[in-house]
Structures are given as structure tokens and as C-alpha cells.
Amino acid sequence: MALLTKSRSKVEYEAPVHLRLLCAGKRLWTGNNRLGLGAQEILKALGPGFLVSVGYMDPGNWGTNLAAGAGFGYQLLWVILFSNIIAIFLQIASSKLGIATGKDLAQLAREYFPRPVVMAFGVTAVLAIMATDLAEILGGALGFQILFGIPLVVGSIMTAIIVMALLGLSRWGFRKVEYIIIGFVSVIGLAYVYETALLHPNWGSAAFHVVVPQLSSGSIMVAVGILGATVMPHNVFLHSYLSHQRLSGPEAPLAERRQVLRLSKIDTIAALNVAFFVNAAMLVVAGAVFYHHVNADNLDLSTAYVSLIPVLGTLAAIAFGIGLLASGLSSSMTGTLAGQVVLQGFFQRSIPVWVWRTITLIPALIVAALGIPTVQVLVISQVALSLQLPFTIVAVIALSRRQDLMGKFTDTRALSIMHILLALLITGLNVWLIYSYLPL
């Protein structure tokens, strides 16, 4: 990723095409000190939150939500709500970090943390993004298989190629790419609106499990998998980068930064609440269709598609495939961009996007060639994300508390305590997971 030269009147880019969309965001400053948030300003602000939100509806979420619904009915709906709340706080903190400093999380970590910590943090972040890519490419390949009968290996390659082509659209403007992402999000949402409308699930039971936590040793792995699939480390890095691109320049005044932050909060809350309802719908559909009717351990996304036909009809199964394909393609785009941000920020290395895409494609090809059940792979990949997540949260907390770095945007004591409690809770769940699966 090349360096960028900015001014208030003009922005010059030397970045490769696939990263230009990260730097051409719609500037939100109105040229005065008013902080009014009219409809036009809010519409202009929508974008980064939805780019991030596709990662909260990626194929990893499909796999974990399917496993949760098939194995435990509606019992883990509260985990989706809890994870979404954590995600909103964490993404807003990431956005604020970028807006306050004009730098992304990876850059700040490299500048403020000891070198051994930076190397360990960077390596784990890269591995987490590779796990993300595994789920996303497999999701796109499964979508192609469901809709057109294309083998998974070929579908994985097609997914990678299409993602490269879509990223190439950035040369015609950032908003066009944002509209494509929002379109993908709409497709995913509409697919599940259609399926839930056909089902007539037990909404009373679903509402009960949204607010009443239930967890057991049998469901802990899936629960942590949901957490890993919902609160994703690479989205934290990406959001910290996207947010400060909405400023007029590196010397943007305090009033502008405050306005951009307020708009970013609206964008984030709106986008992630859409993601919450989509994820909840996924689990409700899986719980209504598969719970007590199939063996959750042997359930696969492709077999889930087949199982939907006698229950909901062919159109619902096709909607399932279309939504999964849209999920794989859109989330793979943002995952690729996050990988570039992390590599540049931590290691100051820019790997050509086709090289990065080839590297991350290999694990998906191996899984496809060996015929490993996709739901199991997706759940495990999301658990890997959750295991890395505490490192990312600790970095955000440590940097957000620095008065010399954040200035007027420094976290209050109450907010810092809340972030710390969330970090401890996530870490505790991960320890429980590891303990549950260690041979004794």
C-alpha cells in the first residue's frame, strides 16, 4: 500500500487500484462548525459501517448459525444479541481511534507497542484474516455449487476471480463499490426475510431465548464460534482505516472530527443492527427446520440446501444459495482489503492483491478437494477468530486510553472499564473453550 498525499482541496493517490476505494470516501465536513445531522449528511455517511457489516454476515456466520439452530434450536439467540452489542461498541471504538489520530489500528500498534508485541500481534492478525478468507471463499464456492452444480474447487477459484474483478471497480469511484456491498447485504437480508415468512416460527420462544442466556458444555464451542463470526478482528482493523478517510485531511479541526464520529456511530449502529436481524433470522430458520430433525454433527450447508426443499420449497432453497453466494463474494472483498491494511500497518509490506488472494485460496482448495464437511470447517475457522479477538480488543483499549494520542477523544473511565469487562468476558469464554477440548 503506497503512501497517500492529502490536502483539503485535492487528494492524490499512489495506492494500487484495489486499495483506492479505501481512500476515496465521501468527505463529510460541511465547511462550518455546526454539528447538525440532516438526512443528507446521514446518507453520505452510510458506507464504512456496511462494508464492515458484511463480515458479520459472512459464510462463517451461516455455518455457526446453522450449527447453533440445528443443534440447540433457539437457545443461542442471546449469543447473537450479545455479540452484536459487543461488535457495536468495538467498531465504534475502532472508528473513533481512526478519526482521532488519522491512523489505523495496525499503524498505531506498530508505533506504540514493543517490537516483540507488534510481531506477535501482526502474525496472529494475519492468521485470523486467513481463517476469515477460508470461510468466505468456501461460502462463495458453496453458493455456486448450490445454484449451478459447480464443484467446490472450481467455485473457489471463480469466487477469487470475481472478487478481484469487483475490487477493480474501485477505479470508477468508492461509492459505486459501497453500493455494490449494500446491494449484497440487501440480497442476504431479503433471502432470509422470504424464508422466515414461509416458516411461521415460534416467535414467543425465539424472543425468550434472545433475552434469557442458556449455555452448556455441549454448546460452548458453537457459542464461541458465533462470537468469533460476529465480532471479527479484521473488521476492527478495517474500520479504523476507513473512518479517518472521511476527514477532509490530517489536520482536520476538532469540530469536524466530532461530526464525522457522530455520523460514523449512526452508520455503524444502523449497519450492525441489520446484521443482527439477518443472523437471528439464520438461526431461527435453522432451529425451525433442522432442530430434532437432522443430526447437527453431519449437517453441511449443501445438505441444508437440499433439506430446505421439502420443507419450504425450491424457491426458498434457491434464495438460500443466492444469499450464500452474495455473502461469500461481499465478505471476501472486505477481507482482502483488511488483509492489505494489516500487512502494511504492521509490517510495512504491500503484497500484490493477486498474490494475497492466491495464498488465502489454498486452504479453501484443500478443504474442497478433501471433502471436509463445510459447517465444521466454518465453525472452527470462526473459533480461531475468537481466539485472536482478545489481542485486538486489548490493543484498542490501551490506545484509546492514551491522552497524548486521543486528546479530546480519550475514553472516559467508565467506558474503559466497560471495554475491559468485555475483554475479560471474551477471554474467559475462550479459556472455557480451550479447557473443554483439551485431552485430560
Side-chain angles (χ1 to χ4, degrees):
M1 186 190 305
L3 296 177
L4 311 178
T5 304
K6 301 183 182 179
S7 69
R8 284 184 182 272
S9 59
K10 183 178 180 181
V11 181
E12 297 177 357
Y13 306 104
E14 298 177 2
V17 170
H18 64 279
L19 285 176
R20 289 177 188 166
L21 68 87
L22 292 177
C23 312
K26 193 76 170 179
R27 307 300 179 193
L28 302 177
W29 182 235
T30 60
N32 56 50
N33 292 330
R34 295 174 59 204
L35 298 180
L37 299 179
Q40 185 176 3
E41 287 77 15
I42 292 173
L43 288 175
K44 287 181 180 179
L46 298 180
F50 281 90
L51 283 177
V52 169
S53 75
V54 299
Y56 293 79
M57 295 175 279
D58 78 345
N61 293 86
W62 289 61
T64 53
N65 292 330
L66 181 62
F72 308 99
Y74 303 151
Q75 291 178 18
L76 296 180
L77 277 169
W78 70 272
V79 180
I80 295 178
L81 176 62
F82 173 74
S83 300
N84 194 69
I85 293 171
I86 293 178
I88 288 173
F89 278 106
L90 190 57
Q91 294 298 158
I92 289 176
S94 170
S95 177
K96 184 172 73 170
L97 195 64
I99 292 168
T101 65
K103 298 179 181 179
D104 62 75
L105 175 59
Q107 289 176 307
L108 293 169
R110 190 186 71 239
E111 293 178 11
Y112 285 91
F113 295 158
R115 182 171 176 78
V117 173
V118 171
M119 294 303 296
F121 191 10
V123 169
T124 58
V126 169
L127 291 176
I129 292 174
M130 292 183 70
T132 302
D133 278 336
L134 169 63
E136 291 162 351
I137 292 174
L138 275 179
L142 284 165
F144 279 119
Q145 183 183 67
I146 289 170
L147 294 173
F148 308 109
I150 296 173
L152 285 180
V153 172
V154 178
S156 297
I157 296 172
M158 290 176 62
T159 299
I161 293 173
I162 292 174
V163 166
M164 291 289 296
L166 291 175
L167 288 174
L169 294 176
S170 63
R171 69 179 70 228
W172 287 286
F174 175 68
R175 292 300 284 178
K176 291 182 176 62
V177 176
E178 285 187 339
Y179 291 147
I180 291 172
I181 294 293
I182 292 173
F184 278 136
V185 171
S186 300
V187 168
I188 299 166
L190 288 172
Y192 270 93
V193 167
Y194 176 69
E195 291 184 355
T196 51
L198 294 176
L199 267 176
H200 305 294
N202 186 337
W203 292 114
S205 177
F208 173 82
H209 288 292
V210 166
V211 297
V212 178
Q214 290 184 339
L215 196 62
S216 65
S217 58
S219 63
I220 180 63
M221 183 172 184
V222 177
V224 176
I226 291 174
L227 181 64
T230 304
V231 188
M232 305 178 76
H234 80 282
N235 277 335
V236 179
F237 289 102
L238 182 58
H239 208 170
S240 67
Y241 189 98
L242 292 171
S243 60
H244 71 76
Q245 301 301 330
R246 294 300 177 106
L247 298 170
S248 60
E251 303 301 325
L254 177 63
E256 177 185 351
R257 294 178 188 272
R258 283 177 169 164
Q259 179 175 337
V260 173
L261 177 58
R262 291 182 69 188
L263 290 166
S264 177
K265 289 178 179 179
I266 294 172
D267 175 42
T268 301
I269 292 170
L272 294 192
N273 277 323
V274 169
F276 163 72
F277 285 109
V278 172
N279 279 313
M282 290 182 193
L283 194 149
V284 166
V285 170
V289 175
F290 303 119
Y291 187 47
H292 290 321
H293 295 95
V294 298
N295 185 344
D297 294 334
N298 298 325
L299 190 62
D300 187 271
L301 286 174
S302 58
T303 59
Y305 155 78
V306 174
S307 301
L308 282 174
I309 295 176
V311 180
L312 300 180
T314 302
L315 288 179
I318 292 174
F320 180 89
I322 292 173
L324 184 56
L325 179 59
S327 171
L329 292 175
S330 57
S331 57
S332 191
M333 289 175 65
T334 57
T336 300
L337 295 172
Q340 298 293 301
V341 171
V342 166
L343 288 169
Q344 175 65 20
F346 279 112
F347 306 111
Q348 296 182 300
R349 295 289 185 271
S350 181
I351 297 178
V353 68
W354 68 268
V355 174
W356 174 254
R357 176 48 62 206
T358 301
I359 293 172
T360 57
L361 176 62
I362 292 173
L365 293 177
I366 293 173
V367 170
L370 296 178
I372 301 173
T374 52
V375 169
Q376 293 180 18
V377 173
L378 293 176
V379 171
I380 292 172
S381 72
Q382 303 313 299
V383 170
L385 300 186
S386 190
L387 293 174
Q388 200 281 336
L389 186 60
F391 299 98
T392 300
I393 295 179
V394 168
V396 172
I397 292 171
L399 293 168
S400 297
R401 296 179 64 191
R402 293 184 65 112
Q403 178 74 36
D404 60 329
L405 176 65
M406 299 293 290
K408 296 291 186 180
F409 295 93
T410 306
D411 279 356
T412 63
R413 181 182 297 272
L415 188 57
S416 292
I417 291 173
M418 186 190 66
H419 286 161
I420 291 170
L421 290 175
L422 292 178
L424 290 173
L425 182 57
I426 293 170
T427 303
L429 286 172
N430 285 321
V431 170
W432 185 4
L433 171 69
I434 295 170
Y435 176 79
S436 299
Y437 283 86
L438 279 177
L440 298 178

